[in-house]
Amino acid sequence: MTEALRRAHTLEVEEVARVLGTDPIAGLTPDEAARRLAAHGPNEIATARGVSPWGLLLAQFRNVLILILLVAVGLSLAVGHEVEAIVIAVIVLFAVLLGFAQEYRAERAIEALRAMAAPLATVVRAGVEEDVPAREVVPGDVVLLRAGDRVPADGRLVEAASLQVEEAALTGESLPVEKSTEPLGDPELALGDRRNMVYAGTAVTYGRGRALVVATAMDTEFGSVARMLEDVESPKTPLQRNLDRVGNVLARVALLVVAVVVALGVVRGEPLVDMLIFGAALAVAVVPEALPAVVTISLTLAAQRMVRRHALIRRLAATETLGSVTVICSDKTGTLTRDEMTVRELVTADGAFTVTGAGFEPVGELRGEDGRVEPTPSVLELMRAAVLASDAHVVREDGDGAWRVRGDPTEGALVVAAAKLGLHKAELDATCPRVDEIPFTSERKRMTTLHRTPEGVVAYAKGAPEVILAACSRRLTEAGREPLADEDRREILARAQELAGQALRVLAVASKPAASRANAERDLTFLGLVGMLDPPREEAREAVAVCRQAGICPVMITGDHPLTAEAIARELGLLDGGRVVTGTELVGLDDEELAREIEEIRVFARVSPEHKLRVVTAFQANEHSVAMTGDGVNDAPALKKADIGIAMGITGTDVSKEAADMILTDDNFASIVAAVEEGRGVFANIKKYLMYLLSANLGEIGLLSGAAVLGQPLPLSAVQILYVNLATDGLPAIALGVDPPEPDLMQRPPRRRAEGIFTRPVVGLIVLGGAWSALANLLLFLWALDTGRETEEAMSLVFTSLVLTEFLKAYSYRSDRRSVLERTFANRWLNLAVAWELTLLCLVLYVPFLQHAFGTVGPSLEEWALVLAVAATIVPVLEVGKWVVRRRSPLGVVSAGI
């Protein structure tokens, strides 16, 4: 794009057309349009972080544990253990493919949600109007715009007839912007103030217009924000950091243990090949082979549960991050509120009335001070006038049966309120057809329409109370049309200000009988006031209360007026003694001041999307984990910066969805809180199966290392170790990954941003369980050898005891605080996994060909009693450990991560 076109808002239309080489009336010729399409490419926004299927697959290998397992495959092959190598390789492949499948499905779901900003566009080429795919619009095209259209490209307006455009997706301005064609002087004007320009991805809400396309695709303002995303890095999730840390620690431990044990054996005179095989077995014992698969499966299942609760997870690891969220920064419109303007109050000479119902569904009633009332003649005349002076209409969609407004949402609210009182726009338009109109402009602040009625031509006007009152000389009362006194005017204006103070948008309505275009806006009769607002979602109010209980701070961020934002925040219970700060005040604070004061701020009003990045950064500077919602193009950098970026699936732009970690399919705040609850459950379950798996590996390391130090034979074969790590530990660990959440999950404070999974209590329980398992089974092995049993028999006893110990640990590790006796068998999947594994254990111990493969000997009844007794000792040991945890770390006190 040339510099002249970058400042097209400062140029006359003729000059813009000259630079573009086009005709502002007839447009381009079809041949020239085709040539430009070939030169400039299709009018499409490149996705911010497009990921190919191969990229997604390779990303699964950026996991330290997966890499360690691949090294274990190579080591097993090197020492001739092909069976172990194949088994580990299969596990790696399973974990990688499962993670790939979930993330690939998420990307495909996002593509299903994605639609081009304007799939079709109406252009003028060679003087002929035609509809073309929006991707074929080129610079120099003349585009026609009508109410309901989405703007296909950036353009300089040639014609604007009462044209209003909703630019919230780009600028954050919540109300439609009135457009004009006059050139503007300041080349550095903010986008929201360039009233003679329209921008790709915005929507026409009223009027009509014609624009010269000055930029398409990535040259648009929409495209420039997409490029900004490359400069904002997504932080690693806590789970990724923790698992990387586990992998690094395990790699060091594996190398150290193998080196020490092999060196000790060689010094004692053991054959080097035997010690290398022993070292391979130790390396297998160190690495929890089932961990990557268990992590992936549990996160996949959680992501599927979230989809049922209207949250689509794009990155599996982000599921767990949700559990650590301490601040949720939410847009107001459509997320905390319904995004459906609704009439709440009517004021006429008969008094004040409330209209029940919320949203665009025409169901509700009129209420006075004493309850439900029938509409009075003055109320009916007020609503009849309001509807006739409106262009919007309400329709019911065929697909989902939802009610939608076609046209301006404010006018839609008037049409819906009238329908609740029995006045339907189609019938009114038929009996009182419109014959003329004087359109709304920001300077006039009113709209007037003239209608042919049985009483002659009548003018109806609606607009700002002060403007409509100034044009009125009478008011409608029970006695008819009476003179409007100055005292009446003051009283009406005071009432209008009172309604505005309640965050209602207030319109005044008037009429004039025997009207003509020349006198339609003089000597009007005042009919009444209408107060409306975008009502809060009922479920959002409950979700805010849940946030409070869970120690999460909900924060509202909106482009709306501070009074409106404050009123909605109070109604939702979100303000809670906090402050309301405007965008102007925010600009006046430097980063350090903002970080200090942000803990007291609950509402950011009149802010633009650019401010969101500062808000996220300030909260993160105070060690908060931040979830940030957004639907506009300019929201994308803040979504990417946040710990959890949440895009709107219905109203969100493609760029915001690409930048987000999670997409709400219903744009509802309550769905965020539901996702946080799932995230907390995921984190708790990750902690459970990590305690279980790592304790098992620690026990094996201790057992094998202890035998090596004492100069004893290997207590377990490599195949037996693999069986314990994969078969015995795998299914119970997966079952722990879907463990039912504890009842008080959302009554606990969130963990700190810096806190990992491996807190002191968790590490203590892992070490305690692993150490006791190693000691008990090592003593059992030594006893078996001392009593004259063959090495194979002693190994079988240790193998059986170790497997039974793992089963009991699985139940104990269902909580790091609660006793195993509380809700012991609440996890039916764990019960089934243990029952299945017990069956497999019996087969391995008693079926001849499996005895040969695993080197086992079936225990006698007396030996079963012995190994059961040895295994059962783990339960009281871990119960003592939990008792110590409860004493030293009461619930609600967060211990530091290691």
Side-chain angles (χ1 to χ4, degrees):
M1 188 194 300
T2 65
E3 184 58 35
L5 293 179
R6 292 187 188 282
R7 50 186 181 83
H9 61 284
T10 66
L11 305 177
E12 294 285 353
V13 170
E14 292 75 14
E15 178 63 14
V16 176
R18 187 190 64 76
V19 173
L20 288 166
T22 188
D23 187 317
I25 304 300
L28 301 170
T29 65
D31 290 343
E32 178 62 15
R35 189 192 68 76
R36 294 190 183 193
L37 181 62
H40 294 277
N43 178 33
E44 295 175 324
I45 298 297
T47 56
R49 302 283 283 186
V51 183
S52 69
W54 283 111
L56 284 175
L57 184 61
L58 291 174
Q60 308 305 314
F61 290 93
R62 296 176 195 153
N63 180 315
V64 178
L65 285 172
I66 292 288
L67 295 176
I68 291 175
L69 289 179
L70 291 175
V71 171
V73 170
L75 186 57
S76 297
L77 287 173
V79 297
H81 289 195
E82 291 86 358
V83 174
E84 290 92 329
I86 291 171
V87 171
I88 298 174
V90 168
I91 291 297
V92 169
L93 187 64
F94 176 69
V96 165
L97 291 179
L98 195 64
F100 166 78
Q102 169 60 25
E103 295 192 10
Y104 182 79
R105 274 203 311 270
E107 290 297 325
R108 299 293 77 76
I110 291 156
E111 287 183 7
L113 286 172
R114 182 185 299 130
M116 268 302 288
L120 287 175
T122 303
V123 298
V124 177
R125 289 180 178 168
V128 178
E129 288 186 25
E130 59 179 297
D131 290 335
V132 300
R135 67 190 307 275
E136 296 180 9
V137 171
V138 296
D141 260 330
V142 174
V143 177
L144 301 183
L145 303 170
R146 302 181 182 90
D149 289 349
R150 295 193 73 82
V151 179
D154 291 2
R156 169 67 162 88
L157 284 167
V158 175
E159 177 185 339
S162 302
L163 182 66
Q164 295 182 20
V165 180
E166 212 259 276
E167 298 180 341
L170 189 64
T171 67
E173 175 62 48
S174 63
L175 294 176
V177 177
E178 187 182 353
K179 295 297 183 176
S180 62
T181 60
E182 293 77 16
L184 303 168
D186 185 357
E188 303 301 325
L189 272 179
L191 294 182
D193 294 326
R194 298 182 184 182
R195 300 302 176 100
N196 57 10
M197 299 288 293
V198 288
Y199 296 102
T202 59
V204 179
T205 61
Y206 191 82
R208 57 184 175 79
R210 177 188 294 249
L212 281 173
V213 173
V214 299
T216 59
M218 295 301 288
D219 289 332
T220 63
E221 295 296 336
F222 192 111
S224 67
V225 177
R227 287 199 180 93
M228 285 173 57
L229 296 179
E230 298 173 3
D231 301 326
V232 182
E233 292 190 5
S234 298
K236 274 193 172 184
T237 70
L239 179 61
Q240 289 169 325
R241 292 194 296 267
N242 275 291
L243 290 182
D244 285 350
R245 191 184 309 157
V246 170
N248 290 327
V249 169
L250 288 177
R252 295 190 187 101
V253 170
L255 287 172
L256 179 63
V257 170
V258 170
V260 169
V261 171
V262 171
L264 282 174
V266 171
V267 168
R268 283 204 310 266
E270 299 285 345
L272 179 61
V273 173
D274 289 351
M275 291 314 301
L276 285 175
I277 293 173
F278 192 74
L282 267 178
V284 169
V286 169
V287 178
E289 286 85 356
L291 182 57
V294 171
V295 170
T296 305
I297 289 170
S298 66
L299 292 180
T300 300
L301 292 173
Q304 291 171 354
R305 290 195 303 272
M306 287 185 180
V307 168
R308 291 194 291 270
R309 301 181 79 171
H310 308 291
L312 174 66
I313 292 293
R314 293 193 64 217
R315 292 190 299 144
L316 279 183
T319 308
E320 172 268 342
T321 311
L322 281 161
S324 66
V325 163
T326 56
V327 174
I328 300 175
C329 296
S330 175
D331 289 320
K332 176 185 75 67
T333 303
T335 308
L336 290 167
T337 65
R338 296 173 61 101
D339 194 18
E340 297 177 348
M341 288 296 286
T342 304
V343 171
R344 279 276 184 92
E345 300 284 339
L346 301 177
V347 179
T348 70
D350 295 339
F353 303 90
T354 301
V355 183
T356 64
F360 295 146
E361 184 178 7
V363 175
E365 59 187 24
L366 192 68
R367 290 181 176 272
E369 293 181 359
D370 300 322
R372 185 179 182 280
V373 297
E374 291 298 321
T376 65
S378 62
V379 168
L380 291 174
E381 184 62 20
L382 167 67
M383 295 313 299
R384 181 183 294 108
V387 170
L388 287 170
S390 298
D391 291 322
H393 59 281
V394 181
V395 297
R396 191 168 195 172
E397 300 286 356
D398 292 334
D400 56 7
W403 292 89
R404 302 274 191 265
V405 162
R406 297 286 180 263
D408 183 76
T410 299
E411 292 187 346
L414 297 173
V415 172
V416 171
K420 293 175 183 178
L421 306 184
L423 299 173
H424 300 284
K425 180 167 178 56
E427 296 172 4
L428 292 175
D429 287 344
T431 56
C432 303
R434 185 182 300 184
V435 295
D436 203 351
E437 69 175 84
I438 306 174
F440 175 90
T441 66
S442 56
E443 292 79 20
R444 289 167 20 80
K445 295 185 179 179
R446 62 183 165 188
M447 173 183 180
T448 304
T449 59
L450 289 86
H451 298 260
R452 185 180 298 110
T453 73
E455 291 79 31
V457 175
V458 179
Y460 297 107
K462 70 179 193 305
E466 64 276 12
V467 173
I468 295 295
L469 270 174
C472 290
S473 59
R474 294 176 177 79
R475 66 183 302 189
L476 184 65
T477 68
E478 291 180 359
R481 299 177 187 270
E482 298 185 340
L484 184 66
D486 290 342
E487 185 179 341
D488 296 330
R489 294 178 194 276
R490 288 192 294 269
E491 181 183 320
I492 292 168
L493 286 174
R495 182 65 173 137
Q497 288 185 351
E498 181 184 338
L499 293 175
Q502 299 170 21
L504 297 178
R505 185 177 184 188
V506 185
L507 292 178
V509 182
S511 68
K512 179 182 177 64
S516 65
R517 186 178 181 88
N519 66 8
E521 294 185 334
R522 297 197 305 270
D523 295 323
L524 303 181
T525 300
F526 179 78
L527 301 179
L529 300 172
V530 181
M532 64 191 76
L533 85 167
D534 180 11
R537 291 179 181 265
E538 282 299 320
E539 59 271 30
R541 186 180 289 106
E542 298 168 10
V544 167
V546 171
C547 283
R548 296 283 183 217
Q549 292 177 352
I552 300 169
C553 176
V555 175
M556 179 194 293
I557 301 184
T558 178
D560 275 349
H561 192 280
L563 281 178
T564 305
E566 183 177 350
I568 295 295
R570 289 191 187 281
E571 194 165 341
L572 289 169
L574 187 146
L575 202 55
D576 194 33
R579 292 169 51 198
V580 179
V581 168
T582 65
T584 303
E585 293 170 323
L586 187 61
V587 170
L589 298 173
D590 61 33
D591 291 343
E592 290 184 5
E593 290 172 329
L594 180 58
R596 282 197 306 271
E597 297 186 22
I598 202 165
E599 300 291 343
E600 304 300 321
I601 302 172
R602 294 293 175 268
V603 176
F604 293 89
R606 277 286 190 254
V607 296
S608 63
E610 290 88 344
H611 294 137
K612 286 188 172 183
L613 193 57
R614 286 196 68 201
V615 171
V616 172
T617 304
F619 273 121
Q620 289 177 336
N622 291 353
E623 297 300 317
H624 283 291
S625 288
V626 184
M628 169 68 78
T629 71
D631 56 5
V633 178
N634 278 3
D635 291 334
L639 294 179
K640 197 171 181 185
K641 173 69 174 172
D643 298 274
I644 289 288
I646 304 171
M648 303 295 109
I650 299 173
T651 61
T653 57
D654 292 345
V655 173
S656 66
K657 291 172 188 174
E658 289 289 343
D661 303 292
M662 183 174 88
I663 298 173
L664 296 184
T665 58
D666 63 350
D667 292 10
N668 194 333
F669 180 80
S671 298
I672 304 174
V673 180
V676 169
E677 183 178 359
E678 287 288 349
R680 287 193 176 191
V682 166
F683 180 84
N685 289 346
I686 288 172
K687 186 164 62 175
K688 294 170 189 177
Y689 61 65
L690 280 177
M691 286 194 297
Y692 173 65
L693 289 175
L694 296 180
S695 171
N697 288 87
L698 186 61
E700 292 165 17
I701 294 168
L703 175 61
L704 296 175
S705 301
V709 170
L710 295 175
Q712 297 297 323
L714 194 66
L716 294 169
S717 69
V719 173
Q720 288 172 342
I721 293 170
L722 270 177
Y723 180 87
V724 173
N725 283 5
L726 299 176
T728 301
D729 290 348
L731 279 181
I734 292 171
L736 287 174
V738 293
D739 202 44
E742 296 184 46
D744 61 346
L745 189 66
M746 290 299 281
Q747 280 81 50
R748 301 175 187 174
R751 67 187 189 274
R752 291 184 310 193
R753 179 184 172 86
E755 182 193 0
I757 292 173
F758 300 104
T759 58
R760 279 190 290 270
V762 169
V763 172
L765 288 173
I766 291 173
V767 172
L768 180 62
W772 184 260
S773 173
L775 177 62
N777 286 294
L778 181 59
L779 291 175
L780 175 64
F781 184 63
L782 295 174
W783 173 85
L785 292 177
D786 285 346
T787 56
R789 287 173 169 79
E790 295 293 331
T791 301
E792 191 175 58
E793 290 181 84
M795 291 171 67
S796 292
L797 288 177
V798 170
F799 172 69
T800 306
S801 173
L802 187 62
V803 170
L804 294 176
T805 301
E806 295 310 307
F807 293 159
L808 294 171
K809 275 188 194 176
Y811 285 101
S812 290
Y813 282 135
R814 285 190 60 235
S815 174
D816 60 342
R817 307 183 59 86
R818 296 178 184 274
S819 169
V820 70
L821 301 177
E822 296 183 35
R823 304 167 68 238
T824 305
F825 300 108
N827 187 339
R828 65 189 181 96
W829 297 111
L830 180 58
N831 300 335
L832 290 172
V834 169
W836 170 251
E837 294 297 343
L838 276 172
T839 303
L840 288 182
L841 176 62
C842 292
L843 294 175
V844 167
L845 291 174
Y846 293 107
V847 174
F849 80 89
L850 291 176
Q851 285 180 323
H852 175 73
F854 286 92
T856 58
V857 176
S860 65
L861 286 176
E862 292 80 7
E863 288 171 335
W864 267 110
L866 175 64
V867 295
L868 278 169
V870 172
T873 59
I874 193 68
V875 175
V877 168
L878 288 176
E879 286 298 295
V880 171
K882 292 181 189 180
W883 177 80
V884 173
V885 168
R886 290 193 296 270
R887 289 287 301 272
R888 292 189 175 182
S889 181
L891 190 61
V893 177
V894 181
S895 56
I898 292 177

